[in-house]
Amino acid sequence: MIFFKVFVFENIPSSGQSPNDTWRKNVLDSDIYIGLIGSEYGTILDTGLSPTETEYDLFNEKSNEVFIFIKDSVKRDGKIEKFIAKISDNHIYKPFGTIEVLIKEIKKSLTHFLHNQIVENDFDKRIIDYSSSKDIDMDSYNLFFKSVNNNSLKQLKEEKTPEEMLTIINAGSMKNNIFHFNNAGALFFAKNINKFNIPHEIKMAKFKNGTRADIIDRKNSYNTLIDLMEDVRLFFSRNTKTSSVVVGMDRIDLNEYPFEVVREAIVNAVAHRDYKINSSPITFYIYDNRIEITSPGKLIPPLTIATLESANPLHRNKIICDIFSKTGYMEHYGTGISRMKKTMLEEGLKEPKFEEMGEFFKVTLWARDENTIDPELYKNNRNPLDKLGLNERQIKAFALMVNENKTFTINNYLNCFEISRVTASKDLNKLESLNLINKVKNGRSYIYYVK
């Protein structure tokens, strides 16, 4: 069995291709970079760097799977010393004196890589040894705990360090007093997920008709998982429309799709994807009459399309699901498919379609047809906001925003309804998470409004 295909520039045959284009492409296409450093720096390119250092920089922007081996030497070129200092800031390198030692160290590194990539099944709990607290993105950390439903967990955040909190929620662990992410934690909280070679892109596009021939809007998101949810919400908002239904003397505006169903589908795609498939992103495609969300990874046996609702839930990435379940994005652990169907039917829409396509899982949501909206669905529930689980304060506040163009901050909301700051924040954030209102930064606080 061949585990690795080695690219060595000196071994390629003569051709009409550009040498620079050839080695750059192969560097970027590789999963691992092995660098051998001697005592001389080598030829200097137009960039001011040697080909080896240029290769290192190019690959290091894409991935952290860099294995460097440095030959023992009494005297080294000054540029080599600077290059080694740069490497030591980012990677652990191994010295060698003989070819036999070099081969032994390379085998050891490749064996460790294979174990992590193939042998170890629990992707999300795998510890990233070269991560540390320096890799924590505090904006993502604070945004996550802002979306957490458990007040005790929020209170604990005020008493513990970020390293302690991330360990408590199983986003990493401490080893020799140093915090290390696991893969799940890196997806939620890392400054640079690319550094850890974890596939996390979501590709969004809006097409003019029923095919992919004409793209109206596009966005690729590489953010942490909670920030990614906001990217999806904004893309959805600007690329879908609102319909209306008249009940008696009232006009009720209805989104083309219930956003809570879209959000559930995206959360499922992110939480249940197969992260070992690193060649394809999650896709979120909006057409004139449907949304298609495709995620790498088939259903886990014995799950089938027919048993999605009835079978006990199986989770490919248990830690990712568990971290998500602490937030408002995945409030009902394991019941997402049933709730998606129920919500679509209650809104007078077709059930979602679930299907496996090769190594991918696909969800199709059908748009609301404004020409076939049935007012009977809304006669006994003249305020569709009731179905979203909103309280009287939220419904009243939303009505003021729509009818009187009123805006709210946390302070004037809590004064208006005589409630605590925590409750005011929870109320407004729920409205915003349902895509009913928007918020914009204003100094150290936010203003909540309806477009």
Side-chain angles (χ1 to χ4, degrees):
M1 181 180 293
I2 297 175
F3 290 107
F4 300 103
K5 180 180 179 182
V6 180
F7 169 74
V8 179
F9 180 78
E10 288 76 9
N11 292 344
I12 65 172
S14 175
S15 73
Q17 296 177 322
S18 161
N20 284 338
D21 290 346
T22 300
W23 68 258
R24 285 175 184 275
K25 179 181 184 302
N26 279 276
V27 165
L28 292 174
D29 285 346
S30 298
D31 296 313
I32 301 170
Y33 177 80
I34 297 177
L36 306 180
I37 310 297
S39 57
E40 296 182 1
Y41 187 67
T43 304
I44 297 178
L45 303 175
D46 293 341
T47 60
L49 302 175
S50 69
T52 302
E53 187 167 1
T54 302
E55 287 176 353
Y56 170 83
D57 288 346
L58 187 64
F59 188 88
N60 195 39
E61 288 182 6
K62 167 201 163 184
S63 169
N64 210 57
E65 299 293 351
V66 174
F67 306 146
I68 300 293
F69 304 92
I70 299 178
K71 185 173 176 56
D72 294 334
S73 179
V74 176
K75 185 177 181 180
R76 293 193 180 100
D77 186 322
K79 286 184 177 294
I80 278 285
E81 294 289 357
K82 289 183 179 179
F83 183 21
I84 292 173
K86 178 201 284 188
I87 291 169
S88 64
D89 286 339
N90 297 297
H91 301 98
I92 297 171
Y93 64 81
K94 287 291 182 179
F96 70 94
T98 66
I99 293 296
E100 289 76 20
V101 172
L102 173 62
I103 291 172
K104 180 181 177 182
E105 291 295 340
I106 289 177
K107 282 184 176 179
K108 190 186 298 182
S109 295
L110 294 179
T111 300
H112 183 262
F113 174 82
L114 279 178
H115 176 79
N116 283 344
Q117 294 295 316
I118 299 173
V119 178
E120 178 63 64
N121 291 321
D122 294 325
F123 161 84
D124 54 350
K125 76 176 183 182
R126 195 180 305 150
I127 296 297
I128 305 173
D129 292 330
Y130 54 89
S131 64
S132 72
S133 56
K134 293 180 180 179
D135 294 304
I136 299 173
D137 180 1
M138 291 307 299
D139 287 340
S140 295
Y141 174 82
N142 290 322
L143 183 61
F144 171 82
F145 280 97
K146 186 178 178 181
S147 68
V148 162
N149 289 328
N150 188 315
N151 288 330
S152 298
L153 204 57
K154 287 186 175 182
Q155 180 61 39
L156 201 58
K157 173 182 176 286
E158 305 305 317
E159 303 166 6
K160 302 285 186 180
T161 66
E163 293 85 350
E164 289 172 325
M165 286 306 302
L166 294 180
T167 301
I168 287 170
I169 67 171
N170 206 11
S173 62
M174 302 294 294
K175 183 178 180 181
N176 298 326
N177 293 321
I178 298 175
F179 173 79
H180 299 290
F181 277 128
N182 54 32
N183 280 332
L187 283 166
F188 278 95
F189 304 108
K191 289 178 185 175
N192 178 14
I193 304 174
N194 285 330
K195 176 180 177 181
F196 306 119
N197 202 31
I198 303 173
H200 61 287
E201 176 190 4
I202 181 164
K203 183 178 179 182
M204 295 175 267
K206 164 69 175 179
F207 301 100
K208 187 174 182 179
N209 296 305
T211 68
R212 301 180 194 172
D214 194 355
I215 298 178
I216 298 173
D217 190 10
R218 70 173 75 193
K219 178 178 177 62
N220 287 21
S221 175
Y222 301 89
N223 277 328
T224 54
L225 297 190
I226 301 298
D227 289 291
L228 182 148
M229 301 307 298
E230 177 66 5
D231 290 343
V232 170
R233 187 189 71 82
L234 292 173
F235 190 84
F236 171 85
S237 295
R238 71 173 184 252
N239 284 295
T240 55
K241 57 190 178 183
T242 300
S243 302
S244 299
V245 58
V246 176
V247 179
M249 300 295 292
D250 298 331
R251 169 179 160 164
I252 299 173
D253 291 330
L254 303 167
N255 288 332
E256 196 172 3
Y257 307 85
F259 181 68
E260 62 267 35
V261 174
V262 174
R263 184 180 64 185
E264 184 76 41
I266 290 292
V267 168
N268 286 343
V270 169
H272 300 303
R273 75 163 287 173
D274 187 344
Y275 284 90
K276 294 184 182 69
I277 301 175
N278 58 17
S279 57
S280 300
I282 293 171
T283 58
F284 177 67
Y285 290 161
I286 303 176
Y287 300 89
D288 283 355
N289 67 334
R290 68 192 187 280
I291 289 176
E292 294 180 352
I293 299 163
T294 305
S295 178
K298 296 162 48 172
L299 292 173
I300 306 172
L303 276 182
T304 65
I305 298 295
T307 62
L308 266 178
E309 288 184 87
S310 58
N312 291 327
L314 294 174
H315 305 291
R316 180 179 280 114
N317 306 298
K318 294 179 182 178
I319 297 177
I320 294 176
C321 291
D322 185 59
I323 294 175
F324 251 133
S325 72
K326 301 181 190 309
T327 73
Y329 296 103
M330 192 185 236
E331 295 175 284
H332 305 282
Y333 202 11
T335 61
I337 300 298
S338 297
R339 287 185 297 108
M340 288 169 67
K341 286 186 174 183
K342 182 173 182 290
T343 301
M344 293 292 277
L345 291 173
E346 285 179 347
E347 292 283 340
L349 301 172
K350 289 171 61 175
E351 282 192 357
K353 181 180 180 182
F354 305 98
E355 54 189 323
E356 286 184 306
M357 303 178 65
E359 293 299 316
F360 296 84
F361 183 77
K362 178 179 171 184
V363 179
T364 302
L365 305 176
W366 305 102
R368 189 186 307 278
D369 184 349
E370 60 186 12
N371 297 316
T372 59
I373 294 175
D374 183 5
E376 292 294 324
L377 288 170
Y378 304 96
K379 276 190 175 179
N380 296 321
N381 183 12
R382 294 174 61 147
N383 190 344
L385 299 180
D386 292 336
K387 293 191 298 182
L388 302 181
L390 300 181
N391 57 45
E392 291 183 6
R393 293 186 305 273
Q394 290 166 316
I395 293 173
K396 182 176 179 180
F398 181 69
L400 289 170
M401 292 183 194
V402 172
N403 299 325
E404 300 180 17
N405 292 322
K406 184 174 178 59
T407 61
F408 281 101
T409 62
I410 298 293
N411 284 336
N412 64 20
Y413 188 91
L414 66 88
N415 289 329
C416 179
F417 296 106
E418 298 181 352
I419 54 176
S420 69
R421 173 173 289 274
V422 172
T423 302
S425 177
K426 186 176 180 180
D427 277 6
L428 289 169
N429 285 331
K430 176 70 179 275
L431 288 168
E432 194 249 343
S433 72
L434 291 172
N435 202 35
L436 294 172
I437 65 174
N438 300 276
K439 69 179 180 182
V440 63
K441 190 80 171 175
N442 181 39
R444 298 179 63 183
S445 62
Y446 286 96
I447 293 176
Y448 297 81
Y449 66 99
V450 171
K451 285 184 180 179

